[in-house]
Amino acid sequence: MAGKPKLHYTKGRGKMESIRWLLAAAGVEFEEEFIETKEDLEKLRNDGVLLFQQVPMVEIDGMRMVQTRAILSYIAAKYNLYGKDLKERAWIDMYVEGTTDLMGMIMYFPFQPADTKEKNLALIIERATTRYFPVYEKALKDHGQDYLVGNKLSWADIHLLEAILMAEECKPDILSAFPLLQAFKGRISNIPTIKKFLQPGSQRKPPTDEKFVAVVRKIFNI
């Protein structure tokens, strides 16, 4: 039997967090090798294991996979979380790209200058409540099912729950105008593998704080 996937990244959320979410939701155990210093990153680069000199990198099925989107779509397809046909896959991709855009804004927020924080937080909340969440609320209403695509859990649902929880860290009542998303959050959070990942002590990483921002800046020279 092949070994567990091994994830190479820093000890924080970043671009690896959605990969952790997807593996956990699929019930796949994984190991993590943390990049804690600039030297750790340089060693990976010098060893020639990073195709484009970048992380995240995941060792899975005899491959050293890089590029977040490639890793996620491989895991989604492998564990039957990517729809039943090309059309469902296209919808999953569209929904995932939307949540990726929103999560990207939230992910980079802690790295922005202090004097722009207030403005950027307001923009995140405005985009979440006027551009992104209305789409998913309408999708659930029109579809009339528990899940976004087909009537089955997919990568799109897992990604949306991750985005909702990140947005709630910015504004706890951000879902107040979205009753179907509130119900969706409750349903998906209670799927056993996801519920386990949401418990303290799991491999889910905490929100990015100033201390972690400093570590990341040091490792990646930013």
mmCIF file of all heavy atoms in Angstrom, residues 6 8 21 50-51 72 97 116 135 191:
data_model
loop_
_atom_site.group_PDB
_atom_site.id
_atom_site.type_symbol
_atom_site.label_atom_id
_atom_site.label_comp_id
_atom_site.label_asym_id
_atom_site.label_seq_id
_atom_site.Cartn_x
_atom_site.Cartn_y
_atom_site.Cartn_z
ATOM 1 N N LYS A 6 2.396 13.289 1.633
ATOM 2 C CA LYS A 6 3.229 14.146 2.492
ATOM 3 C C LYS A 6 3.182 15.570 1.960
ATOM 4 O O LYS A 6 3.469 15.812 0.785
ATOM 5 C CB LYS A 6 4.673 13.646 2.529
ATOM 6 C CG LYS A 6 5.535 14.427 3.531
ATOM 7 C CD LYS A 6 6.992 14.032 3.482
ATOM 8 C CE LYS A 6 7.267 12.851 4.393
ATOM 9 N NZ LYS A 6 8.739 12.615 4.505
ATOM 10 N N HIS A 8 4.387 19.485 1.955
ATOM 11 C CA HIS A 8 5.537 20.344 2.259
ATOM 12 C C HIS A 8 5.101 21.801 2.172
ATOM 13 O O HIS A 8 4.773 22.311 1.098
ATOM 14 C CB HIS A 8 6.663 20.097 1.236
ATOM 15 C CG HIS A 8 7.228 18.712 1.293
ATOM 16 N ND1 HIS A 8 8.385 18.403 1.974
ATOM 17 C CD2 HIS A 8 6.781 17.548 0.753
ATOM 18 C CE1 HIS A 8 8.634 17.107 1.843
ATOM 19 N NE2 HIS A 8 7.679 16.571 1.108
ATOM 20 N N TRP A 21 -7.831 20.604 3.776
ATOM 21 C CA TRP A 21 -9.292 20.458 3.870
ATOM 22 C C TRP A 21 -9.780 19.320 2.983
ATOM 23 O O TRP A 21 -10.589 18.484 3.411
ATOM 24 C CB TRP A 21 -9.965 21.761 3.415
ATOM 25 C CG TRP A 21 -10.325 22.713 4.499
ATOM 26 C CD1 TRP A 21 -9.542 23.692 5.041
ATOM 27 C CD2 TRP A 21 -11.588 22.821 5.172
ATOM 28 N NE1 TRP A 21 -10.232 24.405 6.004
ATOM 29 C CE2 TRP A 21 -11.489 23.881 6.101
ATOM 30 C CE3 TRP A 21 -12.795 22.123 5.070
ATOM 31 C CZ2 TRP A 21 -12.549 24.264 6.932
ATOM 32 C CZ3 TRP A 21 -13.853 22.504 5.897
ATOM 33 C CH2 TRP A 21 -13.719 23.552 6.813
ATOM 34 N N LEU A 50 11.109 20.696 -6.535
ATOM 35 C CA LEU A 50 10.044 21.680 -6.781
ATOM 36 C C LEU A 50 10.081 22.080 -8.247
ATOM 37 O O LEU A 50 11.004 22.770 -8.687
ATOM 38 C CB LEU A 50 10.236 22.928 -5.888
ATOM 39 C CG LEU A 50 10.264 22.698 -4.373
ATOM 40 C CD1 LEU A 50 10.521 24.020 -3.659
ATOM 41 C CD2 LEU A 50 8.980 22.054 -3.883
ATOM 42 N N LEU A 51 9.088 21.663 -8.986
ATOM 43 C CA LEU A 51 9.077 21.870 -10.436
ATOM 44 C C LEU A 51 9.306 23.331 -10.826
ATOM 45 O O LEU A 51 10.053 23.620 -11.734
ATOM 46 C CB LEU A 51 7.744 21.360 -11.001
ATOM 47 C CG LEU A 51 7.667 21.141 -12.507
ATOM 48 C CD1 LEU A 51 8.674 20.090 -12.961
ATOM 49 C CD2 LEU A 51 6.257 20.706 -12.908
ATOM 50 N N LEU A 72 -5.173 20.108 -6.077
ATOM 51 C CA LEU A 72 -6.566 20.010 -5.630
ATOM 52 C C LEU A 72 -7.421 19.219 -6.620
ATOM 53 O O LEU A 72 -8.221 18.368 -6.212
ATOM 54 C CB LEU A 72 -7.152 21.414 -5.449
ATOM 55 C CG LEU A 72 -6.695 22.171 -4.188
ATOM 56 C CD1 LEU A 72 -7.021 23.656 -4.307
ATOM 57 C CD2 LEU A 72 -7.348 21.586 -2.936
ATOM 58 N N GLU A 97 -13.469 28.366 -8.327
ATOM 59 C CA GLU A 97 -12.725 29.582 -8.689
ATOM 60 C C GLU A 97 -13.276 30.800 -7.942
ATOM 61 O O GLU A 97 -12.523 31.684 -7.533
ATOM 62 C CB GLU A 97 -12.773 29.811 -10.207
ATOM 63 C CG GLU A 97 -11.945 28.821 -11.016
ATOM 64 C CD GLU A 97 -10.460 28.846 -10.685
ATOM 65 O OE1 GLU A 97 -9.914 29.922 -10.401
ATOM 66 O OE2 GLU A 97 -9.848 27.769 -10.700
ATOM 67 N N THR A 116 -3.863 50.295 5.479
ATOM 68 C CA THR A 116 -4.897 49.935 4.486
ATOM 69 C C THR A 116 -5.829 48.834 5.012
ATOM 70 O O THR A 116 -6.764 48.426 4.325
ATOM 71 C CB THR A 116 -4.263 49.437 3.166
ATOM 72 O OG1 THR A 116 -3.561 48.210 3.432
ATOM 73 C CG2 THR A 116 -3.310 50.448 2.578
ATOM 74 N N VAL A 135 -24.309 34.263 -5.037
ATOM 75 C CA VAL A 135 -24.246 33.232 -6.091
ATOM 76 C C VAL A 135 -24.525 31.848 -5.499
ATOM 77 O O VAL A 135 -25.307 31.062 -6.042
ATOM 78 C CB VAL A 135 -22.859 33.247 -6.783
ATOM 79 C CG1 VAL A 135 -22.665 32.037 -7.689
ATOM 80 C CG2 VAL A 135 -22.673 34.542 -7.557
ATOM 81 N N ILE A 191 -20.626 16.587 8.437
ATOM 82 C CA ILE A 191 -20.148 15.380 7.753
ATOM 83 C C ILE A 191 -18.988 14.835 8.598
ATOM 84 O O ILE A 191 -18.071 15.590 8.946
ATOM 85 C CB ILE A 191 -19.710 15.711 6.307
ATOM 86 C CG1 ILE A 191 -20.953 16.068 5.468
ATOM 87 C CG2 ILE A 191 -18.926 14.566 5.692
ATOM 88 C CD1 ILE A 191 -20.648 16.683 4.123
#
